[in-house]
Amino acid sequence: MSKKAVPLPIESELRLAVSGKWGNRLKRLPLLVKSASERAKTTHLKSTYFDTPNKELAGAGINLRIREMGRRKLQTLKIGSGWQAGITKRIEIEGWVSGEEPTLDLIHVPEIRDLLTRGGLWERLVPAFVTDFRRTSRLLRYNGRFGNALVSADLDIGEIRSGTRKMAVCELELELKDGAPTTLFELACAINEDVPVRIEYRGKATRAGELQNAQEPKPVKGRRPTLVQASRINESAVAILKACQTQIAANEFPILESMAPEGPHQMRVAVRRLRAALGMFRAFADKELIDGVREEGKWLAGSLGQAREWDVYIADLHEPVEAALGVDFPALRELRALAEARQEVGYRDARAAVASSRFTSFQLHLGLLIETLTSSQKKGAFDHLARSEEFAASMLEKRYRKVRRMGRTALRGNTVAKHDLRLEMKKMRYASEFFASLFEPRKAKIFSKSAARLQDLLGYANDYAVCIQQMEALVAPEAGANMRNLMKASGIVIGWHGAEMARADHEIEDSWNRFLDAGRFWPKPHRSAN
């Protein structure tokens, strides 16, 4: 009789970055002191991380370290580390060692041993970087609204050293010892109300890699979730919401640390996708929680809006006019300079929003929402409901019929009607992308492509309408001859795109017909016999 496989130990933790000036206050935070079962303990921890010269372990999502704990040394192997949008869940294998070098004998799982020895990898391991910090630890018993848990709260203050480069570390690790994962988010929300924190997505190994090869963070587009056929509705909801959560988190640093226009745009798209998803799954989650996340998402999208609108004006409306005219028009240059000043204000607003504790609160509540839906899988709360395909088909059909009904009149209507149709097209397209993997891929791709083309054309019509308002905002504060010149320049921009809109209207009609010809990629619901 074969032995039953022993499950590998899993570490579940939520990392929170803290500004150094708040470190001492966090140590004495009443919330942590009162929840602790005993007094805090502070220890000095120095860890050496190992990897091959070309970072093969990091590339495979593996961390290997030896940590000095007084006179003893603990070897730890973690798999699944790196960049995470929420709770970090990793396989963890530990054991005491006597020397300075890693010991393969402690890796008792055959598959992992094979991975570490393949191609002579283990023999090529060398020290990669060092972490050196003081850890203040408490074991907490925290009771939340959605569950209770035993949590280890570890405050690390120190540095990461890689070669001659250093990076300060001040972060709180909330590690789940027993109980509900939702508690990690509820505890973090409570901490954030007294001490501003940020979710730290990057493990220490990732940050050490950034020390060695510093690069400007790049904006990240969203990925379509891969859903499992015949899965429960809440399982699909978790996959879709996690995809939105990941896109939001991935564009945090591009907004804070660069001027790339795509950063605010991609986060704004992610928030809009999220709000569309929350609307679809509202019936299956805690109403207060889901409505709160949706409302805060609206705040965030609004905070990113000005940066995005002026990006669109400069790149898509103003620059084509200057390029097409091919003449030196001083007033056009001045108009652009005024727009760029508004753009910079928009970027400052976007950075301020993303750097705020309100943004952290939004992310933590989103993580909490996802965990509540995840935990419901174990309780069988959705076993009585239709599976994901039936739910997806009903949602898609609802959106599709509304778009078709609006389109009959909107395309011959005014700008407001086209704008309303564009918003519904967005919801339709988001839903089609969310659920595409549940149905025939080729048909889903054709549908998505036709919907995207129509949405882009309707978007241009909306950009033109917004442009008129933007010109008024730029010109109104000016006076005298400068105002007359700016009015002339704004008239050129508006007039040029007005002529383009006349041609775009014909393309919109054609794209609408192509969208209808693409048809459904989901099964059409049967009409009731009654």
Side-chain angles (χ1 to χ4, degrees):
M1 181 180 293
S2 61
K3 294 183 179 180
K4 186 177 180 180
V6 178
L8 293 172
I10 300 293
E11 173 195 59
S12 297
E13 68 178 13
L14 181 63
R15 290 189 298 263
L16 303 173
V18 188
S19 173
K21 65 181 181 180
W22 292 101
N24 288 330
R25 180 170 176 176
L26 191 56
K27 288 181 182 179
R28 301 188 298 269
L29 192 66
L31 171 66
L32 300 182
V33 174
K34 293 178 181 178
S35 301
S37 57
E38 55 187 24
R39 295 186 64 180
K41 297 178 181 179
T42 299
T43 54
H44 175 234
L45 301 175
K46 182 180 178 182
S47 302
T48 301
Y49 286 72
F50 293 83
D51 205 339
T52 62
N54 57 350
K55 312 304 178 189
E56 291 172 77
L57 290 188
I62 298 174
N63 283 345
L64 177 63
R65 75 180 184 219
I66 293 179
R67 170 166 287 171
E68 298 176 23
M69 306 173 69
R71 296 182 178 180
R72 306 184 74 188
K73 294 183 177 67
L74 181 68
Q75 175 179 301
T76 303
L77 178 82
K78 296 185 180 184
I79 300 178
S81 58
W83 198 95
Q84 298 286 337
I87 292 178
T88 304
K89 296 182 179 180
R90 302 180 284 194
I91 295 172
E92 185 177 64
I93 301 174
E94 293 186 319
W96 298 103
V97 294
S98 56
E100 305 290 333
E101 300 295 325
T103 301
L104 185 61
D105 290 342
L106 293 177
I107 315 300
H108 52 79
V109 182
E111 295 83 358
I112 299 177
R113 285 177 66 97
D114 291 344
L115 177 64
L116 293 174
T117 55
R118 192 177 303 155
L121 184 151
W122 190 266
E123 286 72 24
R124 288 183 281 112
L125 292 177
V126 294
F129 65 93
V130 172
T131 63
D132 194 346
F133 51 82
R134 294 184 68 81
R135 167 168 288 179
T136 301
S137 300
R138 287 187 176 93
L139 198 60
L140 313 178
R141 173 62 68 178
Y142 189 78
N143 299 323
R145 179 182 163 211
F146 295 96
N148 309 320
L150 185 65
V151 178
S152 177
D154 302 322
L155 177 62
D156 296 339
I157 300 178
E159 63 184 16
I160 299 172
R161 297 195 296 269
S162 181
T164 59
R165 298 181 179 181
K166 299 179 181 180
M167 176 187 292
V169 170
C170 185
E171 65 185 34
L172 179 68
E173 293 184 357
L174 302 178
E175 183 179 351
L176 185 68
K177 294 299 184 181
D178 182 51
T182 52
T183 309
L184 296 183
F185 286 103
E186 292 197 84
L187 176 56
C189 286
I191 292 170
N192 188 50
E193 291 179 0
D194 290 323
V195 175
V197 297
R198 306 187 62 74
I199 299 178
E200 179 55 82
Y201 311 109
R202 306 159 302 168
K204 293 182 177 69
T206 302
R207 281 172 278 171
E210 291 172 358
L211 269 180
Q212 297 165 343
N213 185 25
Q215 294 181 342
E216 186 175 274
K218 295 181 180 179
V220 177
K221 293 184 178 181
R223 294 184 177 181
R224 297 184 181 184
T226 301
L227 307 184
V228 178
Q229 293 184 347
S231 60
R232 297 183 179 93
I233 292 173
N234 66 310
E235 293 172 325
S236 291
V238 166
I240 290 169
L241 293 177
K242 278 189 174 181
C244 298
Q245 178 193 40
T246 299
Q247 188 182 4
I248 291 170
N251 286 288
E252 176 179 335
F253 285 103
I255 290 175
L256 294 176
E257 299 179 7
S258 79
M259 281 290 290
E262 200 64 10
H265 173 53
Q266 289 302 329
M267 185 178 284
R268 197 169 179 226
V269 168
V271 173
R272 286 179 167 174
R273 294 173 78 233
L274 171 67
R275 296 186 75 239
L278 294 174
M280 290 191 298
F281 297 116
R282 187 175 183 273
F284 310 115
D286 180 84
K287 301 296 187 295
E288 180 181 343
L289 181 56
I290 201 169
D291 288 345
V293 173
R294 198 175 186 193
E295 189 62 28
E296 287 301 279
K298 183 179 181 180
W299 157 77
L300 179 57
S303 300
L304 302 169
Q306 283 297 306
R308 178 57 186 165
E309 287 179 4
W310 287 109
D311 284 341
V312 169
Y313 168 74
I314 293 170
D316 297 345
L317 299 174
H318 192 97
E319 288 182 353
V321 175
E322 285 191 308
L325 293 180
V327 295
D328 186 14
F329 199 143
L332 271 177
R333 292 202 308 272
E334 188 170 350
L335 192 67
R336 177 184 178 128
L338 291 174
E340 288 173 342
R342 296 293 183 98
Q343 179 191 40
E344 179 56 35
V345 172
Y347 272 93
R348 287 203 300 267
D349 291 344
R351 291 192 194 101
V354 174
S356 69
S357 60
R358 185 173 180 179
F359 177 74
T360 299
S361 178
F362 162 71
Q363 291 178 296
L364 291 172
H365 281 92
L366 174 56
L368 175 59
L369 172 63
I370 291 172
E371 285 300 324
T372 61
L373 288 167
T374 302
S375 62
S376 64
Q377 295 175 17
K378 302 174 183 177
K379 301 174 184 177
F382 296 89
D383 286 351
H384 65 290
L385 297 176
R387 291 300 189 241
S388 294
E389 290 91 333
E390 288 82 2
F391 175 78
S394 67
M395 285 290 104
L396 290 166
E397 186 67 20
K398 179 182 177 181
R399 297 268 190 253
Y400 186 61
R401 288 183 179 181
K402 187 171 184 179
V403 164
R404 289 185 61 173
R405 186 170 62 250
M406 291 179 66
R408 295 189 187 104
T409 56
L411 298 185
R412 293 185 293 274
N414 56 23
T415 302
V416 175
K418 288 187 174 71
H419 174 66
D420 291 341
L421 176 61
R422 182 181 69 91
L423 295 180
E424 287 303 322
M425 279 297 304
K426 278 189 176 183
K427 294 177 183 178
M428 174 78 256
R429 185 182 172 192
Y430 293 155
S432 68
E433 291 175 348
F434 289 152
F435 296 120
S437 59
L438 293 175
F439 303 104
E440 208 280 306
R442 187 184 65 83
K443 290 183 178 179
K445 185 176 181 180
I446 293 172
F447 181 91
S448 182
K449 187 175 181 180
S450 66
R453 175 58 180 162
L454 178 58
Q455 184 184 325
D456 287 344
L457 289 169
L458 291 171
Y460 177 58
N462 181 70
D463 293 340
Y464 175 64
V466 171
C467 170
I468 296 173
Q469 299 172 5
Q470 290 174 311
M471 294 302 92
E472 293 176 354
L474 289 180
V475 174
E478 304 300 319
N482 192 45
M483 181 179 185
R484 289 194 297 272
N485 291 335
L486 288 174
M487 287 184 66
K488 184 177 180 180
S490 65
I492 290 173
V493 173
I494 293 170
W496 193 88
H497 285 285
E500 289 294 306
M501 269 306 306
R503 288 189 286 271
D505 281 337
H506 293 294
E507 291 188 55
I508 289 174
E509 185 73 32
D510 180 64
S511 292
W512 172 253
N513 291 329
R514 289 177 181 270
F515 170 70
L516 295 180
D517 290 342
R520 301 169 176 82
F521 64 85
W522 61 92
K524 184 177 180 181
H526 297 290
R527 291 183 177 273
S528 174
N530 295 330

